[in-house]
C-alpha cells in the first residue's frame, strides 16, 4: 500500500518537528516546510528518513500565497497527494497594547492566521477531489482565554479556531475534517525565552504543574489524522495539562 503524505508547516523546530518525526515513525511520508531555517529543516528530513519513509524540505513563507501555492504544487508532483496538512507555523511579537505597533499586530496575524488560510486554500481542491483529507491547525490556549501582552497572538489564535470551525462545516460532506489543537505551555524555543519568574507564574496555573513536551502535542495530531478520528471535525483539543477547563 502506498504511504500517506503529511505536510507540516514550520517543521524545522519545536512542535512542528515533533509532528514530522511522530508521523514519520507512523509511516507517513513527510514534507518539512520551513521559512528560513534550512539547516534545521534538513536535519528534520534526515531524522524522518531514518524511519524508512520519504521526506523533503520545502521552503515557503506561509504568509505569502504564491510561495504556499508553489510548495503545494511541488508536494503534489513529488508525493502524489497531501493526505494531512498540519498548520503549525507561528510567531509571537509580544507587547502591552499601549506599546504594540500596528506592524507587530499585522505581522503576527499574517503568519498565524493568513498563513493558515493560505495553506488550507492551497490544499482544499486536491483534498475535495480525493474525497478525503485531514487539516489540523495549531491554535493556543491563549486564543481561548487571551493574555496580557499578546493581543496580536491571541487574536490570531482565536481566529484560527473560528477558521477551523468554518472550514470544518464547509468540507465535512467531502470527508475532509478540520480540527484545531490548543496547546498550553510547551517546552520549545517559543517558551525558552520566558524568564523563570514568568515560567513559575505559568506553572501555578497548570494543574499538572509542568510544561508540556512537543511530543504531547504531536501525538494528538497523529490521533486526529488517524482513522480513530474519522467522525471528529470542527473541534478544539486542549493539550495543556488542565490549564483551561
Ligand atoms: P517554534 O518557534 O519552534 O516553531 C514555529 C515554527 O514556525 C518555526 O520553525 C519557524 O521557523 C516557523 N515559522 C515562523 N514564521 C514562518 C513563516 N512565515 N513561514 C513558515 N514557517 C514559519 O515554536 P513552537 O512552540 O514549536 O510553535 C509551533 C506552533 O505551536 C505555533 O503555531 C505556536 O503558536 C503554537 N503554540 C506553541 C505553544 C508553546 O507553548 N510552545 C503553545 C501554544 C501554541
Amino acid at each position: 500500500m502506498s504511504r500517506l503524505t503529511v505536510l507540516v508547516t514550520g517543521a524545522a523546530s519545536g512542535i512542528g518537528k515533533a509532528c514530522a518525526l511522530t508521523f514519520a515513525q507512523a509511516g507517513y511520508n513527510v514534507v518539512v516546510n520551513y521559512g528560513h531555517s534550512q539547516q534545521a529543516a534538513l536535519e528534520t528530513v534526515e531524522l524522518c528518513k531514518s524511519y524508512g519513509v520519504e521526506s523533503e524540505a520545502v521552503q515557503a513563507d506561509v504568509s505569502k500565497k504564491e510561495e504556499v501555492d508553489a510548495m503545494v504544487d511541488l508536494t503534489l508532483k513529488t508525493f502524489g497527494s497531501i493526505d494531512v496538512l498540519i498548520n503549525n507555523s507561528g510567531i509571537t511579537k509580544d507587547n502591552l497594547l499601549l506599546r504594540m505597533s500596528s506592524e507587530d499586530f499585522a505581522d503576527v496575524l499574517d503568519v498565524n492566521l493568513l498563513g493558515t488560510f493560505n495553506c488550507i486554500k492551497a490544499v482544499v481542491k486536491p483534498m475535495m477531489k480525493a474525497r478525503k483529507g485531514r487539516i489540523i491547525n495549531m491554535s493556543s490556549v491563549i486564543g481561548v482565554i487571551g493574555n496580557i501582552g499578546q493581543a496580536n497572538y491571541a487574536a490570531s489564535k482565536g481566529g484560527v479556531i473560528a477558521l477551523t470551525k468554518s472550514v470544518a462545516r464547509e468540507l465535512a460532506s467531502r470527508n475532509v475534517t478540520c480540527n484545531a489543537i490548543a496547546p498550553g505551555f510547551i517546552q520549545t524555543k517559543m517558551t525558552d525565552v520566558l524568564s523563570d519568574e514568568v515560567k513559575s507564574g505559568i506553572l501555578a496555573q497548570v494543574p499538572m504543574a509542568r510544561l508540556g513536551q512537543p511530543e504531547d502535542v504531536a501525538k494528538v495530531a497523529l490521533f486526529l489524522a488517524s482513522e480513530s478520528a474519522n467522525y471528529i471535525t470542527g473541534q478544539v483539543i486542549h493539550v495543556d495539562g488542565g490549564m483551561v477547563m
Side-chain angles (χ1 to χ4, degrees):
M1 206 184 83
S2 62
R3 292 185 185 282
L4 299 175
T5 299
V6 60
L7 167 58
V8 188
T9 69
S13 59
I15 294 170
K17 180 177 181 178
C19 286
L21 300 188
T22 300
F23 276 71
Q25 192 170 18
Y28 284 76
N29 288 331
V30 183
V31 179
V32 174
N33 159 260
Y34 66 96
H36 302 289
S37 343
Q38 186 186 30
Q39 193 50 44
L42 292 173
E43 281 166 29
T44 305
V45 163
E46 286 313 310
L47 289 170
C48 287
K49 284 182 175 168
S50 71
Y51 291 109
V53 300
E54 289 173 50
S55 183
E56 297 281 346
V58 184
Q59 194 280 331
D61 176 339
V62 293
S63 68
K64 306 226 162 76
K65 184 182 182 312
E66 322 75 60
E67 294 187 21
V68 168
D69 288 348
M71 168 173 72
V72 166
D73 284 350
L74 181 67
T75 302
L76 290 171
K77 276 193 193 103
T78 313
F79 293 102
S81 66
I82 297 174
D83 303 281
V84 183
L85 166 67
I86 303 181
N87 283 307
N88 165 78
S89 290
I91 59 168
T92 52
K93 289 198 175 181
D94 299 352
N95 221 330
L96 294 173
L97 203 51
L98 282 174
R99 292 197 211 121
M100 186 177 286
S101 66
S102 305
E103 288 74 24
D104 283 357
F105 189 86
D107 287 352
V108 171
L109 267 287
D110 277 354
V111 175
N112 298 6
L113 185 55
L114 181 63
T116 301
F117 169 78
N118 285 339
C119 294
I120 292 174
K121 213 164 138 69
V123 302
V124 153
K125 266 194 194 159
M127 280 188 179
M128 280 169 72
K129 216 170 142 199
R131 289 206 153 262
K132 70 181 175 75
R134 298 290 165 94
I135 300 169
I136 299 160
N137 299 324
M138 222 45 86
S139 179
S140 167
V141 288
I142 303 305
V144 179
I145 62 172
N147 198 17
I148 293 168
Q150 291 200 303
N152 49 2
Y153 185 77
S156 73
K157 294 299 187 179
V160 165
I161 290 175
L163 174 64
T164 299
K165 293 179 181 179
S166 301
V167 172
R169 286 184 188 279
E170 279 195 38
L171 301 184
S173 65
R174 309 299 183 111
N175 195 31
V176 177
T177 67
C178 183
N179 292 289
I181 298 176
F185 284 85
I186 310 297
Q187 201 165 8
T188 69
K189 69 178 196 259
M190 196 174 266
T191 47
D192 284 347
V193 294
L194 301 173
S195 67
D196 287 345
E197 196 190 342
V198 171
K199 275 188 196 155
S200 43
I202 290 165
L203 286 180
Q205 303 170 50
V206 180
M208 290 184 80
R210 63 171 178 87
L211 295 183
Q213 294 303 311
E215 295 71 25
D216 294 328
V217 180
K219 284 177 192 158
V220 174
L222 184 64
F223 163 72
L224 288 171
S226 76
E227 288 191 4
S228 304
N230 273 351
Y231 200 51
I232 299 177
T233 196
Q235 302 305 306
V236 183
I237 313 288
H238 286 250
V239 183
D240 63 5
M243 192 179 164
V244 175
M245 59 171 102

